[in-house]
Structure formats: C-alpha cells, structure tokens
Amino acid sequence: MATYSNPQYSAANYQTNRPRYRETLVDTILAYHKRDNPGAETNVAVDVATGTGIFARQLPAHFAKVMATDISGTMLESARASSASQAIEYVESAAEDLSFLGDSSVDVMTVATGAHWFDTERFAAEARRVLRPTGTLAIFGYTGFGHFVDYPQCDKIIKEFGLGDDRLGRFWDRGREV
C-alpha cells in the first residue's frame, strides 16, 4: 500500500487506465440486497478501499448517501477531482477502522478489488459492526483475481460466483479485462 500513499504516485494514471465495472453490477448487488428482504433500505452505501473512486461513482444514483474510504490521501485527491459533481463524501481511513461510522448505520458496503490489502479479521469485525442487520457486504474484483490465504472457503466462493459468465463474470468490461 505504500506505493499508493506516496505523494509522487500518479493517481491520475491509475484513474485513467484502471478497468471499469459494468453499470449493471450495482443492479445485481441491489437485487441481492433486497432478495430476502424487499424492504431493505438503500439510504447509506460505503465503498471501502475506493482508490480513485471508480466504483463509488456508480453508487449515488441508487443511495441517498454515499461515502467512500481509502487509506491513501493521494488516491482520494484524484477521487474527489473525478467526482466533483457527485455527492460522495470521501474519508481517509483504513478499512479496519471505520470509527467515523455508527453501529448499524450502513445499508450496503462495497469493496471493489481491495480486500486483499485488509487485515481480514479486523475488517470483518468493523463490517459487522457498521452494517445494519439487513445490510449487504459486496466484495468483488477482476476476473481471475483473489486469493484468501487463511480462508480457502472464500477462494471457492470467488471461483463459483465471481468468475463464470453465468455469474458476475458477465459484468466485466470486455474491452478492458485484466
């Protein structure tokens, strides 16, 4: 993570060249969020490890309030510049310290290709604390990406739900696959 926090790092190049997520991915996350609870709220979304805010910018059309966090001030500067017209609150914060959020205050939390940087136990504890009882945690990444050393069951879930075209794989931008 030191690279992204370095003030000399070119967040603008990252922003320009990073693959994008298909717009329909948000719809899929929301459908899952409401699947077993049609009344599940969509008031507050938090995008953790937002980087330059690529995925966070897809959320304001669906939520009353959107917050996005990253440990790198350099990346957040780029995020703010790229989303000046959108109502997204950016907070410099580690994924494992969401102390600025109240207990049970978040409806949907997303992590777009960032979970590999986390202290998994500490992040999971924070996610449990801030998500509402009907809340949804959506962790996703690029096709073929993702490995949880201490949690082999997560590897199986990623392969089953994240990679195949019959699941989330169909939501990746075919022109900019990693």
Side-chain angles (χ1 to χ4, degrees):
M1 192 53 150
T3 299
Y4 299 133
S5 295
N6 183 330
Q8 306 308 312
Y9 180 76
S10 178
N13 282 342
Y14 179 100
Q15 170 68 15
T16 299
N17 297 303
R18 188 77 172 186
R20 301 301 194 257
Y21 305 93
R22 291 187 182 183
E23 293 291 330
T24 52
L25 180 55
V26 178
D27 296 330
T28 300
I29 292 168
L30 289 172
Y32 176 84
H33 178 63
K34 294 182 175 210
R35 182 184 66 191
D36 295 328
N37 185 2
E41 297 183 37
T42 55
N43 292 318
V44 179
V46 177
D47 185 42
V48 179
T50 198
T52 59
I54 291 169
F55 190 72
R57 287 191 296 278
Q58 293 180 230
L59 299 173
H62 305 278
F63 294 90
K65 180 176 184 175
V66 175
M67 301 175 81
T69 73
D70 202 273
I71 198 168
S72 169
T74 303
M75 297 294 265
L76 289 176
E77 286 176 27
S78 180
R80 286 182 185 103
S82 298
S83 57
S85 65
Q86 291 181 301
I88 301 171
E89 181 182 343
Y90 291 99
V91 179
E92 190 170 341
S93 174
E96 302 85 0
D97 179 13
L98 303 174
S99 56
F100 62 93
L101 293 168
D103 294 356
S104 300
S105 62
V106 175
D107 298 303
V108 173
M109 179 180 289
T110 59
V111 181
T113 316
H116 59 288
W117 294 108
F118 302 169
D119 175 322
T120 308
E121 294 294 328
R122 290 180 50 218
F123 170 70
E126 276 293 82
R128 269 189 231 97
R129 181 185 68 77
V130 303
L131 281 168
R132 296 185 196 281
T134 58
T136 296
L137 172 60
I139 300 175
F140 49 93
Y142 301 118
T143 302
F145 181 78
H147 175 62
F148 293 81
V149 175
D150 296 326
Y151 299 91
Q153 68 273 28
C154 291
D155 290 346
K156 182 180 176 189
I157 292 169
I158 286 174
K159 286 179 183 173
E160 182 179 348
F161 292 100
L163 302 181
D165 278 343
D166 62 330
R167 302 293 179 138
L168 293 179
R170 68 181 184 266
F171 296 106
W172 296 115
D173 180 350
R174 297 296 183 218
R176 298 186 64 188
E177 288 187 59
V178 174

